[in-house]
Amino acid sequence: MGKKNSVSESPERRQIPRTQDGFYRAVLVANALAWLILVIALILFHFARPDFVSGVQQYWGVEGDTQWSQAYVDAMIAMLQICLGVSLLTMIMRARRNRRRDDNYGVNLFILAGISLISLLTLTINVT
């Protein structure tokens, strides 16, 4: 006789809607968290960069801050490293789950990882 599904068995993953799948939710939360961390890094960039001193300000003798704020730069580097780590972890999680040819892989994760990596390299070369 054939084996019947009993009520006590967990349903097959393909029959559960994506919105109720815990792994899918975890991937979405990690993806959103990585983008939020990138936004925080951009806010830190605003406070870390030196002031723009225009010609009028130089003429009138108004001084501006011409140095990067090291505390904000350190925090920005930490945020970018965390962002890169979370995006790579999310890419690995998606790769483990997606096995079909028509599964989406998440191009936004590649873009996020690229932005984080390029930003880290640029900061390392130009600021520190």
Side-chain angles (χ1 to χ4, degrees):
M1 289 208 179
K3 185 177 178 183
K4 292 183 180 180
N5 284 341
S6 65
V7 178
S8 64
E9 289 183 21
S10 64
E12 190 174 330
R13 179 174 58 95
R14 287 175 278 189
Q15 294 175 354
I16 298 173
R18 280 185 138 178
T19 55
Q20 294 178 357
D21 185 19
F23 187 81
Y24 180 75
R25 287 181 187 176
V27 169
L28 282 180
V29 167
N31 194 359
L33 179 68
W35 281 102
L36 179 66
I37 291 171
L38 181 67
V39 170
I40 292 170
L42 289 172
I43 292 169
L44 288 171
F45 172 77
H46 171 72
F47 291 111
R49 67 184 175 175
D51 293 333
F52 175 74
V53 180
S54 68
V56 173
Q57 287 174 320
Q58 286 178 348
Y59 178 76
W60 286 55
V62 177
E63 293 189 21
D65 189 15
T66 58
Q67 298 293 322
W68 286 80
S69 173
Q70 194 59 42
Y72 286 119
V73 168
D74 293 340
M76 184 172 45
I77 288 174
M79 287 292 123
L80 288 170
Q81 289 173 343
I82 293 170
C83 180
L84 181 62
V86 170
S87 63
L88 291 175
L89 178 69
T90 307
M91 287 168 56
I92 292 169
M93 290 170 64
R94 287 186 67 117
R96 302 287 286 165
R97 175 57 69 97
N98 293 344
R99 297 205 175 131
R100 293 189 194 104
R101 200 175 307 177
D102 60 342
D103 283 342
N104 294 346
Y105 192 70
V107 175
N108 66 344
L109 293 171
F110 287 105
I111 293 169
L112 181 62
I115 290 171
S116 301
L117 187 62
I118 291 170
S119 299
L120 280 170
L121 291 174
T122 303
L123 279 173
T124 303
I125 292 170
N126 294 329
V127 177
T128 55

